[in-house]
Amino acid sequence: MPATDTTADTAVDSRPTQHVLGACPHDCPDTCAFVTTVQDGVALKVQGNPDHPHTDGVLCTKVSRYTERTYHPERILQPLKRSGPKGSGRFEPVSWDAALDDIAARLRAIAQRDPQAILPYSYAGTMGLVQSESMAARFFNRLGASWLDRTICATAGGEGLTQTLGGKVGMKVQFFAESQLIVIWGSNSIASNLHFWRHAQAAKRNGARLVCIDPRRSETAEKCHEHIALRPGTDAALALAVMHELITHDWLDHDYIARHTVGWEALRERALQWPVARAADICGVPAQQIHELARAWGTTQPAAIRLNYGMQRVRGGGNAARAIACLPALTGAWRHRAGGLLLSSSGQFPMDKAALQRPDLLATGLPGRRPRTLNMVQIGDDLLREGSPPGAPGWGPKVEALVVYNSNPVAVAPDSGKVVRGFSREDLFTVVLEHFQTDTADHADYILPATTQLEHQDIHLSYGHTDVLLNRPAIAPVGQARPNTQIFRDLARRMGFAEPCFADDDDALCRAAFGDRVDYDLLLRQGFATLDLPDAPFAQGGFPTPSGKCEFFSQRLADAGLDGLPDHVPNYEPAGSSATYPLAMISPPARNFLNSTFVNVKSLRDIEGEPVLEIHADDAAARGITSGMVVRVFNPRGEYRCKAEVSPRARPGVVNGLGIWWRKLGLDGTNVNQLTSQQLTDLGRGPVFYDCRVQVAPSA
Ligand SMILES: Nc1nc2c(c(=O)[nH]1)N[C@H]1C(S)=C(S)[C@@H](COP(=O)(O)OP(=O)(O)OC[C@H]3O[C@@H](n4cnc5c(=O)[nH]c(N)nc54)[C@H](O)[C@@H]3O)O[C@H]1N2
Ligand SMILES: Nc1nc2c(c(=O)[nH]1)N[C@H]1C(S)=C(S)[C@@H](COP(=O)(O)OP(=O)(O)OC[C@H]3O[C@@H](n4cnc5c(=O)[nH]c(N)nc54)[C@H](O)[C@@H]3O)O[C@H]1N2
Ligand code: SF4
Ligand SMILES: [Mo]
């Protein structure tokens, strides 16, 4: 299909329509190519691009409704200025000029004292490389603002993978269709990786065995042949016991191990400390089930693991990813294109990050400048911290200004009682670029209306496949909305940033993302371009680690004073570890929301109903809880009320609080993150959303 073709689409009416090629912007491994049908400047519908093999013409339910979101009656259509107390959600319209002049003046005044008192806060509301960290990064680099460590999703697993395989690299997703054994590990693929699930189903039809490893009996788990419902945060113990069985039964590829791995003897010794019974006790699953998993893994080829981020949101998430990433090398699974492992493919893209983000601009303000880094997971604590005295080493100034874009931290960051208190500070100046008046926008001093994917240009890589996608604007901005890039360009001008790079338009930024390493004309023509990569990347070794091998033992970790081998690192708050808070709570995403996006789209919210807590019948009975009852879920960090659902989806001892609702659309103005903690993972400084103990009781 050409990039824009004008045809008479009789399904709509006889007026001409255009079809504009785009890409789904959401934080989802599928990165679908879509086609928007436009008539008289209005987007009528968004459909999967049938020419893009990964999308195969199919979008998920959420994004099929994208026009409903774009033309939502509550969309913010003009700049808004706070008119009530902080957090009241009361605003009045202002002109763009008035808003931007005032924001620039406020930021300039703070920057004159110390630009590190200004913090950008952003994540993956859009995954577009241009509308996320291009002009925005240039702006904050030039300003010398504090750096944000963007850790809220994937850094523990990413670091574990990098230490073991050398990067975010792995199998091509389409070859899962040819596997004979697929282990779906910490992923609810039907909800969060639908297009992978289609390949898994194809494999199943060809006789493959599907095993799901997940504390929750998810939509995916119930459709697999086997479900291993382990306790949260015990995946490394499980993987080590699998290794134990591979070793004692000699289900190993000795040739592959000898040629393409490092640290085998040490790993062998470690794994031999993990007899199945020990792991069974920690994981809370039958020993026989672990043995069977090992036998299947050790005796089936081709065999593949679809690892996903659900298993790394616990203290030992990095080590767990390391342990699991060792399994394919032990059995030589990498020899086949349908064998190995996929967690993320994003490390395979030849992106020119420096060209987009221009870290060299840091030195424009001050040669050699290196601002402090704040971890987005700990925004609650950081907003409540006083500054350290000038000249003292360490922390630095109090955070005086926040510029939030592509994120909804008041809903999605852990320990949200503290996050709300921080955002409610009257002396904090907060600017939020948004489509909607989210929980975060409620706490803004200014809300600036941003365009959606239908209204701006962008370029995308993917963390679930290896195609680059181009998104072209299908319609003009709705209301007075502006692309993030334009907002930062406008602010840069007002701040007096004269560098020519602040004049780059979005097309120039899209072209800069990959330079001549990706065929831009092809992107313009068909909307996607496939990277030229080998089908079986590690069949002959060649891992992108320092040694070029799969590093069972990581010298880099050992040099940093950490364990060079993967190990089981127990949760901060393991299931059953406290008599007062005996239950473990996980909070994976609801199928019809994308993190906190779409919660305000009524047709999708209607499918999800209300915030629920799934609880096992035994745990419910012990507390006098029945389905439909309103319950209090609480721990020392806070309390959250929602409906209980007595459900076989929950295993004993573990409750599932599906996320991520907008606080203000929940039962009492809170959501699950009222309960989660700001602790960090063993590797990657990530969040531990699923490492959280609670008690549950009927609500009075
Ligand atoms: N529909 C939908 N799709 C999404 C999202 C969404 O919100 N909604 N979010 C997107 C984003 S940002 C991301 S990062 C991905 C996340 O998608 P996934 O990587 O699949 O991660 P989660 O959905 O967090 O968790 C997946 C599964 O892991 C299980 N799990 C929880 N704790 C553990 C554990 O300790 N061990 C194991 N083995 N499993 C555990 C959960 O019960 C859940 O079923 O999905 C993306 N896609
Ligand atoms: N309890 C619990 N908490 C979690 C998780 C969990 O599983 N459990 N998951 C975590 C994970 S994996 C992630 S990735 C984070 C996600 O956290 P976020 O990245 O904050 O994701 P969203 O909640 O989807 O919020 C994105 C916001 O960006 C806005 N947006 C989208 N596109 C644009 C744009 O072009 N311009 C501007 N200005 N705004 C835009 C959307 O309207 C939306 O409000 O949440 C984390 N929080
Ligand atoms: S959210 Fe995921 S599955 Fe849905 S359209 Fe976007 S990329 Fe595809
Ligand atoms: Mo995420």
Side-chain angles (χ1 to χ4, degrees):
M1 188 179 290
T4 51
D5 81 54
T6 304
T7 52
D9 189 340
T10 47
V12 186
D13 61 35
S14 60
R15 286 171 298 158
T17 56
Q18 293 88 42
H19 293 116
V20 184
L21 296 183
C24 174
H26 291 295
D27 188 351
C28 168
D30 297 29
T31 324
C32 291
F34 64 42
V35 185
T36 307
T37 304
V38 182
Q39 189 178 50
D40 294 339
V42 176
L44 299 178
K45 59 183 173 185
V46 175
Q47 290 169 294
N49 183 345
D51 299 337
H52 182 237
H54 292 293
T55 308
D56 197 18
V58 179
L59 302 178
C60 64
T61 313
K62 306 177 286 295
V63 175
S64 310
R65 307 255 163 96
Y66 203 75
T67 54
E68 203 179 317
R69 188 174 185 277
T70 297
Y71 296 119
H72 195 293
E74 288 161 13
R75 179 94 189 264
I76 294 170
L77 299 177
Q78 54 191 327
L80 298 174
K81 183 180 181 177
R82 175 159 73 93
S83 62
K86 209 54 182 279
S88 63
R90 293 213 300 276
F91 294 90
E92 63 191 20
V94 284
S95 70
W96 269 109
D97 279 339
L100 293 171
D101 286 348
D102 192 27
I103 293 166
R106 299 284 298 262
L107 295 182
R108 240 192 340 258
I110 296 169
Q112 259 157 23
R113 291 192 297 277
D114 188 343
Q116 295 181 104
I118 301 169
L119 179 70
Y121 197 101
S122 68
Y123 201 64
T126 170
M127 296 281 289
L129 299 174
V130 168
Q131 300 305 334
S132 58
E133 310 313 324
S134 68
M135 203 48 83
R138 293 178 181 187
F139 179 84
F140 292 110
N141 280 334
R142 175 65 180 78
L143 184 62
S146 284
W147 277 336
L148 184 73
D149 208 359
R150 292 182 171 81
T151 50
I152 204 156
C153 174
T155 47
E159 183 67 11
L161 205 70
T162 300
Q163 293 296 343
T164 313
L165 305 181
K168 289 183 169 178
V169 295
M171 284 176 65
K172 287 188 179 173
V173 66
Q174 61 269 33
F175 297 135
F176 277 91
E178 300 167 10
S179 305
Q180 277 301 299
L181 171 68
I182 301 180
V183 182
I184 300 177
W185 203 319
S187 169
N188 183 5
S189 315
I190 291 179
S192 62
N193 192 189
L194 185 65
H195 294 78
F196 155 76
W197 178 247
R198 290 157 61 86
H199 297 304
Q201 273 180 307
K204 194 178 175 187
R205 284 194 296 274
N206 291 332
R209 186 169 175 77
L210 268 48
V211 181
C212 184
I213 302 177
D214 192 320
R216 177 172 185 248
R217 193 159 183 83
S218 66
E219 296 87 336
T220 307
E222 69 191 5
K223 295 206 165 52
C224 290
H225 298 100
E226 178 93 18
H227 174 207
I228 303 181
L230 79 185
R231 294 195 181 103
T234 62
D235 300 271
L238 178 64
L240 285 160
V242 168
M243 291 181 207
H244 181 279
E245 295 301 275
L246 298 177
I247 294 165
T248 53
H249 293 85
D250 198 24
W251 292 322
L252 296 166
D253 184 334
H254 293 281
D255 179 60
Y256 194 92
I257 292 171
R259 286 171 195 262
H260 305 307
T261 72
V262 168
W264 161 236
E265 282 306 322
L267 181 70
R268 184 173 181 280
E269 214 171 290
R270 171 72 50 92
L272 287 175
Q273 295 163 25
W274 283 92
V276 166
R278 181 181 175 198
D281 194 41
I282 288 175
C283 301
V285 302
Q288 187 60 22
Q289 209 176 20
I290 301 179
H291 171 79
E292 285 304 325
L293 173 66
R295 196 182 53 79
W297 185 255
T299 61
T300 314
Q301 298 269 11
I305 299 172
R306 181 59 170 115
L307 190 59
N308 222 325
Y309 289 113
M311 45 63 64
Q312 47 102 65
R313 308 196 196 292
V314 293
R315 181 186 184 185
N319 264 276
R322 261 176 69 51
I324 296 163
C326 293
L327 295 174
L330 289 169
T331 57
W334 290 115
R335 290 182 189 276
H336 306 260
R337 70 177 188 177
L341 173 146
L342 177 64
L343 170 59
S344 167
S345 56
S346 65
Q348 284 152 302
F349 289 84
M351 174 186 152
D352 191 346
K353 194 169 161 185
L356 285 175
Q357 306 189 353
R358 298 293 306 271
D360 56 295
L361 291 167
L362 273 166
T364 324
L366 200 61
R369 172 160 65 181
R370 198 187 151 82
R372 68 169 168 193
T373 301
L374 303 190
N375 189 330
M376 69 190 302
V377 170
Q378 297 177 320
I379 186 70
D381 278 344
D382 284 352
L383 287 181
L384 296 172
R385 251 172 110 170
E386 291 302 322
S388 48
W395 159 248
K398 183 173 181 174
V399 178
E400 291 183 64
L402 269 176
V403 182
V404 182
Y405 52 102
N406 304 340
S407 186
N408 184 10
V410 172
V412 307
D415 202 352
S416 47
K418 285 189 177 167
V419 180
V420 169
R421 268 170 53 213
F423 270 84
S424 301
R425 270 175 44 200
E426 285 288 345
D427 66 338
L428 179 72
F429 179 64
T430 303
V431 179
V432 177
L433 284 59
E434 252 300 348
H435 302 147
F436 293 104
Q437 196 172 328
T438 59
D439 292 325
T440 305
D442 275 343
H443 292 80
D445 291 278
Y446 281 100
I447 310 177
L448 302 179
T451 45
T452 71
Q453 189 80 340
L454 300 190
E455 302 149 63
H456 56 227
Q457 180 158 331
D458 217 327
I459 192 163
H460 290 252
L461 51 70
S462 172
Y463 61 100
H465 60 67
T466 48
D467 293 355
V468 174
L469 278 78
L470 187 68
N471 178 76
R472 307 188 73 189
I475 55 171
V478 177
Q480 297 180 28
R482 293 182 181 175
N484 292 345
T485 44
Q486 190 184 334
I487 297 173
F488 284 107
R489 246 180 242 123
D490 294 343
L491 275 175
R493 200 174 53 249
R494 284 174 170 79
M495 301 288 287
F497 299 164
E499 289 77 7
C501 71
F502 288 106
D504 286 353
D505 65 16
D506 288 1
D507 189 59
L509 291 167
C510 285
R511 288 174 189 271
F514 297 100
D516 55 14
R517 290 173 296 278
V518 170
D519 182 346
Y520 202 78
D521 291 330
L522 183 65
L523 286 175
L524 288 170
R525 275 200 313 280
Q526 68 171 20
F528 62 92
T530 303
L531 299 181
D532 185 15
L533 295 165
D535 285 349
F538 310 126
Q540 315 289 334
F543 293 89
T545 51
S547 63
K549 299 181 176 193
C550 173
E551 299 197 345
F552 297 149
F553 179 85
S554 165
Q555 191 59 49
R556 286 180 290 176
L557 288 179
D559 289 347
L562 301 168
D563 193 345
L565 291 170
D567 203 356
H568 169 58
V569 178
N571 277 6
Y572 292 109
E573 304 183 2
S577 61
S578 154
T580 327
Y581 305 104
L583 300 170
M585 184 188 78
I586 57 172
S587 48
R591 184 173 176 179
N592 292 288
F593 302 148
L594 207 132
N595 301 321
S596 78
T597 303
F598 295 110
V599 180
N600 63 327
V601 174
K602 189 169 177 310
S603 62
L604 295 169
R605 192 168 69 244
D606 285 348
I607 306 176
E608 291 298 333
E610 283 173 303
V612 293
L613 184 85
E614 296 168 351
I615 184 167
H616 186 268
D618 295 350
D619 294 323
R623 291 165 177 78
I625 291 168
T626 52
S627 277
M629 195 179 250
V630 175
V631 291
R632 296 193 303 129
V633 193
F634 56 98
N635 65 18
R637 288 178 289 271
E639 177 174 315
Y640 164 57
R641 281 168 68 240
C642 61
K643 282 261 170 81
E645 193 172 304
V646 180
S647 166
R649 292 207 189 279
R651 58 155 285 153
V654 181
V655 289
N656 313 322
L658 299 190
I660 311 174
W661 282 76
W662 285 17
R663 290 166 62 88
K664 58 183 168 187
L665 296 177
L667 292 191
D668 61 353
T670 59
N671 72 12
V672 275
N673 279 323
Q674 196 77 13
L675 305 168
T676 53
S677 87
Q678 295 179 70
Q679 301 261 33
L680 301 180
T681 51
D682 55 347
L683 302 175
R685 305 166 311 281
V688 297
F689 290 111
Y690 304 167
D691 183 341
C692 174
R693 65 184 162 212
V694 299
Q695 180 58 294
V696 185
S699 179

